[in-house]
Amino acid sequence: MAVFLIYRLVRLQIICHQSCIGLRMGSAMVPGRIVDEGDRRDMDRPLLQVEKLKFRFRGQSQDVVEDISFRVGRNETLCIVGESGCGKSVTALALMGLLPRDSVRFGSGEIRFDGESFAPSDHDRIAAMRGDRMAMIFQEPMTSLNPAFRIGDQIAEAVEQHRKCGKAKARERAVEMLRRVGIPAPEQRMGEYPHQLSGGMRQRVMIAMALANDPELLIADEPTTALDVTVQAQILELIAELQAETGMGTIMITHDLGVVAEIATDVAVMYAGQVVEYGPAEAIFNDPQHPYTIGLMASVPSLTGPRRRLSTVPGSVPGIGQMPEGCRFSSRCPFAAPVCASRPDLAEIAPGHRAACHFAPLDQRLERRA
Amino acid sequence: MSDTILKADGLKKHFHLGGGFMAETKLVRAVDGVSIEVRRGETFAIVGESGCGKSTLARLLMRLLEPTEGAIEFEGRDIAGIRGRDLRELRRDMQFVFQDPFSSLNPRMSVGKLVGEPIETHRPGLSRAQRRQEVARLLSTVGLRPEHADRYPHEFSGGQRQRIGIARALASNPRLVIGDEPVSALDVSVQAQVVNLLHDLKSELDMTLVIIAHDLAVIRHMSDRVAVMYLGQVVESGPTDEIFANPRHPYTMALLSAIPEAAHGRARTRLALSGETPSPAAPPSGCRFHTRCPFAREDCATRIPELGAATQESRVACHYWQEIAADRPAAGLTPAAGLSEGAQRRFALYEAATQATTPHPRTAANAEA
Ligand SMILES: Nc1ncnc2c1ncn2[C@@H]1O[C@H](COP(=O)(O)OP(=O)(O)OP(=O)(O)O)[C@@H](O)[C@H]1O
Ligand SMILES: Nc1ncnc2c1ncn2[C@@H]1O[C@H](COP(=O)(O)OP(=O)(O)O)[C@@H](O)[C@H]1O
Ligand code: SF4
Ligand code: SF4
Ligand SMILES: [Mg+2]
Ligand SMILES: [Mg+2]
């Protein structure tokens, strides 16, 4: 079901993709980094700022994503981490304007992209930036690659649409991008079909296509989850390299705390549709505050040091419609108390570091309570 | 005393692929000469990347597949060619837990039926009432409630379904359980519940566990000894702690250095591999790893390295492991810089609180339903 849905969404994206007109005409069409108009690079302004995004699907009694806020700057990588079903993918699709219009109900929210404000329901305006100023890659590359077309044609077409350049120029760019993502003999590979490539190669092709128009923002939804660790390391490295080169902002969605530790500059920990902890990566790993973040970290077996019995988070994530009121983690939280029936604010604990728990910081509040 | 419960010698499984009319058939060497020894009471792990032959090996060991070549001994008895009654008996003593808790359970059978079925097959002497009792006992053993017997798989979460799969495997009182990625499909917080459960069951029921996984952290946590596979062959094996602290085979080094660890700011030197695993239908000549090995020398493309003793306990299949080790500091992982002091107290509080609310890990699953 879910797979079918994503497939439909992406088809939708491809259709939009084909009908929309690139906004950026000023870019020079040269291989390599495309130099932008300087005014877009205002360093104080975050590239993307999301405020209190909240929506539900038709027929559901609870919001699937509730009041989530975060920001991403140029050259920064925000990791959204959480277990399956916590709303990571739908958040990404919302930012891309890819949620099915007729079944989603936005409660509130504002998306500011490079200073310009969008209502999350403003699908058309958001769609105009998609594939151009912002791009997305998926866990399963075949959601963006069409099995019936040669990979070279697919990348070139994406370039041509947004750049309004000629066919020859677009193909040149496609070859260059394939080379950039580490595909050997790119001229020959241009003529191959997706099924002729391995999983890791397809992932590279999808990245080449997403980045062909030099997006300012890349949203990557579990791009390495299906890959082996040695290939995952190559892909993460590739994304980091491309980011260093182009200065794009990146949102990396993952359930793997290891991946987060490796690449994040900032982290948003999501549980059941809420951001429960948010802050710089170092603070999240070395000074975690929220009981869910702590439980998640304690559940991961360690690769070094003594082996101890794993801590767990008891139970499992409740379904939509069964979420407890107030703090949604309260049905699994070992510290839950009556006050947790009211929703805790995502309050600042240290500069830039926020946690949504009535008892944060636990070491001070709970030791006192005990 | 190290008593061998399961032993494979030169085990091979080759599949024929394609080969319609006039088409060329391809020979997929999924498992290509594997020798391992599993000791009674230990947890033995098999690790390697996708397609290296782990699942095929597990199916061979269970005799769910017939080997193309090689010997398998279970408790000293050759089982490579057994059939009929002998095979049924083997199925009782050796059980399987699958990766996917969503597709491995028949959705139309109640949990009571699912767990009762293997009891009926393997212990036909039990009366219906005794069987019900046995189902109830097994369900509580894996941390479910006896009332759950009347429910159907779709009513359970992933972790609970994996518990049902484990209860099924335990129904015949097996002496050895093979888990093919038994926790890979689970979210980490739930994965930890099932890892702890397997650990407890193993010691309480005196079982031997063979765990297949691609997650090295899970392997290190669970296993006593480990075999690392690449393209259908074992490239290194030995005690888990030794291999993690001091991997000798370049592939093991690369694998360990590629795992992202959930700790901030750890300096590491990564041994990057280029390219991807070649197809087992066309394995490279000589050392199968030579196309990706950063230490490969010319003769690696022609000379096949044997899996030979490196120490008394461990084995490695590389011509140059000694030279490589001499040139490099131990390639194992070092612990990361620590948590803040407040965070350490928070972790301790969390652990104490989860233990207080869930006195035994098995009751963790009860909490939700
Ligand atoms: N029945 C079959 N017919 C043909 N080839 C097969 C068959 N079963 C497995 N193979 C091939 O044998 C190789 C090893 O497969 P296997 O499933 O054992 O790998 P694995 O290590 O378990 O991988 P994963 O981590 O992806 O589960 C693969 O190349 C696979 O495609
Ligand atoms: N189109 C949709 N209609 C109804 N529910 C949906 C839809 N898309 C996703 N969901 C639900 O929203 C929740 C969050 O899903 P998702 O964002 O895919 O989670 P994650 O990516 O964090 O694993 C899940 O409960 C999922 O079943
Ligand atoms: S608010 Fe209450 S239930 Fe929520 S995380 Fe904090 S202690 Fe736990
Ligand atoms: S035998 Fe050669 S190619 Fe193989 S692992 Fe050793 S050094 Fe590398
Ligand atoms: Mg998702
Ligand atoms: Mg497998």
Side-chain angles (χ1 to χ4, degrees):
Chain A
M1 225 304 280
V3 172
F4 176 70
L5 201 108
I6 301 279
Y7 183 78
R8 269 197 38 207
L9 288 172
V10 172
R11 287 291 131 209
L12 195 97
Q13 177 194 22
I14 287 167
I15 296 162
C16 299
H17 206 97
Q18 285 163 352
S19 60
C20 73
I21 293 163
L23 286 178
R24 280 199 301 161
M25 311 283 287
S27 315
M29 186 56 219
V30 286
R33 173 81 198 111
I34 281 142
V35 185
D36 251 344
E37 309 90 291
D39 62 352
R40 272 220 217 117
R41 304 267 151 182
D42 183 348
M43 294 318 276
D44 308 333
R45 190 160 69 198
L47 176 61
L48 176 80
Q49 182 138 13
V50 175
E51 291 291 345
K52 295 215 172 294
L53 180 64
K54 173 175 170 143
F55 58 88
R56 67 179 62 186
F57 290 104
R58 182 192 294 213
Q60 287 181 343
S61 57
Q62 281 180 317
D63 294 318
V64 55
V65 160
E66 196 177 56
D67 293 338
I68 68 175
S69 306
F70 51 79
R71 46 158 290 168
V72 192
R74 297 176 201 283
N75 257 319
E76 289 176 1
T77 300
L78 170 75
C79 281
I80 301 181
V81 64
E83 296 178 291
S84 59
C86 71
K88 305 181 296 294
S89 295
V90 291
T91 300
L93 293 171
L95 297 180
M96 293 291 289
L98 281 172
L99 286 171
R101 284 172 204 228
D102 43 357
S103 65
V104 63
R105 297 273 173 280
F106 287 97
S108 68
E110 187 194 352
I111 299 171
R112 270 202 302 279
F113 188 88
D114 196 25
E116 203 180 334
S117 174
F118 297 82
S121 54
D122 202 345
H123 290 83
D124 296 327
R125 279 179 66 220
I126 296 176
M129 299 193 300
R130 192 164 62 222
D132 182 35
R133 297 189 67 183
M134 54 191 201
M136 182 158 172
I137 56 182
F138 298 87
Q139 173 173 342
E140 174 40 67
M142 293 312 286
T143 44
S144 355
L145 296 175
N146 187 326
F149 293 97
R150 297 171 201 277
I151 59 168
D153 295 343
Q154 296 190 51
I155 303 173
E157 193 181 89
V159 173
E160 218 182 318
Q161 258 147 28
H162 291 290
R163 297 258 173 102
K164 300 283 141 205
C165 60
K167 267 216 158 43
K169 277 255 152 64
R171 288 191 71 79
E172 220 171 90
R173 177 71 178 162
V175 172
E176 192 223 329
M177 282 315 293
L178 288 176
R179 179 172 299 120
R180 217 29 231 95
V181 298
I183 301 234
E187 285 88 354
Q188 283 135 55
R189 292 284 180 168
M190 290 279 285
E192 291 189 355
Y193 291 91
H195 73 87
Q196 293 173 282
L197 306 173
S198 70
M201 291 274 217
R202 268 185 227 149
Q203 212 70 18
R204 285 171 192 268
V205 170
M206 182 169 59
I207 294 172
M209 188 151 96
L211 298 190
N213 291 317
D214 277 316
E216 291 153 83
L217 177 71
L218 174 69
I219 302 179
D221 188 359
E222 312 238 14
T224 59
T225 301
L227 304 174
D228 283 329
V229 283
T230 58
V231 181
Q232 164 169 284
Q234 295 167 4
I235 298 287
L236 293 180
E237 188 126 316
L238 169 66
I239 293 176
E241 259 172 51
L242 294 167
Q243 182 175 31
E245 213 169 279
T246 65
M248 68 188 175
T250 305
I251 296 177
M252 172 72 76
I253 292 174
T254 177
H255 65 273
D256 184 340
L257 282 168
V259 170
V260 178
E262 190 112 319
I263 61 166
T265 43
D266 295 276
V267 181
V269 181
M270 276 185 83
Y271 179 81
Q274 300 177 332
V275 172
V276 296
E277 185 160 1
Y278 180 62
E282 186 178 355
I284 300 287
F285 281 98
N286 291 341
D287 198 25
Q289 293 285 351
H290 196 278
Y292 176 64
T293 314
I294 291 169
L296 203 57
M297 288 184 173
S299 302
V300 181
S302 168
L303 284 159
T304 50
R307 287 186 253 179
R308 313 168 46 243
R309 188 178 187 82
L310 296 175
S311 288
T312 64
V313 183
S316 57
V317 187
I320 288 175
Q322 278 134 34
M323 306 281 182
E325 287 303 313
C327 175
R328 287 186 171 181
F329 189 53
S330 59
S331 60
R332 300 176 75 190
C333 180
F335 305 120
V339 63
C340 305
S342 75
R343 169 117 188 247
D345 287 331
L346 188 64
E348 194 154 69
I349 285 172
H353 184 182
R354 294 168 172 271
C357 172
H358 291 301
F359 295 109
L362 293 168
D363 45 322
Q364 289 159 36
R365 309 285 282 275
L366 281 179
E367 282 173 1
R368 209 180 305 142
R369 188 173 82 172
Chain B
M1 196 196 78
S2 62
D3 148 29
T4 300
I5 183 168
L6 181 68
K7 184 175 165 179
D9 201 7
L11 208 54
K12 292 190 182 177
K13 181 70 193 178
H14 296 171
F15 295 105
H16 292 274
L17 253 196
F21 180 65
M22 304 272 292
E24 225 180 297
T25 72
K26 264 203 280 188
L27 197 61
V28 180
R29 300 164 193 277
V31 168
D32 208 20
V34 166
S35 304
I36 54 167
E37 273 187 43
V38 180
R39 298 172 191 167
R40 192 180 297 278
E42 76 173 344
T43 299
F44 185 86
I46 300 167
V47 64
E49 293 181 293
S50 187
C52 72
K54 305 181 295 293
S55 298
T56 307
L57 176 61
R59 286 180 163 73
L60 288 171
L61 295 174
M62 281 290 297
R63 276 300 320 280
L64 295 170
L65 278 176
E66 207 151 325
T68 309
E69 217 181 291
I72 317 169
E73 268 178 27
F74 180 66
E75 300 188 321
R77 211 154 50 94
D78 179 17
I79 57 163
I82 57 165
R83 306 176 179 273
R85 225 186 97 125
D86 291 341
L87 197 54
R88 267 200 308 283
E89 264 171 31
L90 182 72
R91 295 278 138 81
R92 187 192 61 205
D93 297 338
M94 219 199 249
Q95 281 284 345
F96 212 61
V97 176
F98 294 92
Q99 166 172 6
D100 186 355
F102 298 94
S103 63
S104 62
L105 300 174
N106 182 342
R108 279 185 297 276
M109 280 166 80
S110 70
V111 170
K113 277 243 168 62
L114 282 165
V115 179
E117 186 187 54
I119 301 178
E120 208 175 334
T121 319
H122 294 292
R123 292 144 79 188
L126 296 189
S127 71
R128 184 183 290 254
Q130 283 173 317
R131 202 158 65 224
R132 276 192 72 84
Q133 223 174 7
E134 188 58 12
V135 168
R137 188 187 66 80
L138 282 164
L139 289 179
S140 43
T141 304
V142 298
L144 296 169
R145 282 200 307 257
E147 314 80 278
H148 285 145
D150 301 322
R151 303 220 211 145
Y152 287 82
H154 72 264
E155 300 174 58
F156 293 89
S157 67
Q160 287 178 314
R161 281 190 250 205
Q162 204 56 306
R163 289 170 194 266
I164 299 168
I166 294 169
R168 258 169 78 85
L170 297 181
S172 63
N173 292 327
R175 291 196 286 281
L176 182 112
V177 170
I178 301 185
D180 187 0
E181 310 257 10
V183 297
S184 307
L186 304 174
D187 271 324
V188 13
S189 66
V190 177
Q191 169 179 297
Q193 297 169 12
V194 177
V195 165
N196 287 345
L197 172 67
L198 286 170
H199 178 267
D200 295 341
L201 291 175
K202 201 201 116 199
S203 51
E204 277 164 39
L205 304 178
D206 249 342
M207 288 187 310
T208 306
L209 215 52
V210 175
I211 295 289
I212 292 175
H214 63 267
D215 182 337
L216 284 134
V218 167
I219 293 273
R220 181 181 107 103
H221 186 82
M222 295 184 78
S223 70
D224 302 304
R225 293 191 310 131
V226 60
V228 182
M229 284 184 74
Y230 186 75
L231 271 183
Q233 298 177 334
V234 173
V235 295
E236 180 162 11
S237 69
T240 306
D241 287 338
E242 192 182 321
I243 291 197
F244 274 73
N246 186 20
R248 296 188 174 87
H249 195 282
Y251 177 63
T252 317
M253 290 179 193
L255 210 52
L256 282 176
S257 79
I259 330 164
E261 196 181 0
H264 190 260
R266 212 191 58 205
R268 59 195 303 173
T269 39
R270 176 156 284 165
L271 185 65
L273 291 186
S274 54
E276 288 165 53
T277 317
S279 159
S285 60
C287 172
R288 291 192 174 180
F289 189 53
H290 85 259
T291 54
R292 299 174 78 199
C293 179
F295 305 105
R297 304 189 192 176
E298 211 165 304
D299 63 342
C300 294
T302 50
R303 277 204 306 138
I304 298 175
E306 293 292 321
L307 185 65
T311 63
Q312 199 170 1
E313 286 282 299
S314 59
R315 305 203 279 171
V316 59
C318 168
H319 298 305
Y320 299 111
W321 71 267
Q322 277 143 320
E323 285 97 319
I324 294 168
D327 287 352
R328 279 171 69 88
L333 303 163
T334 44
L339 295 166
S340 75
E341 198 222 322
Q344 285 173 24
R345 299 214 318 264
R346 269 166 250 144
F347 275 93
L349 280 167
Y350 183 88
E351 206 171 304
T354 38
Q355 269 154 21
T357 47
T358 57
H360 194 281
R362 288 207 206 127
T363 47
N366 284 340
E368 57 190 283

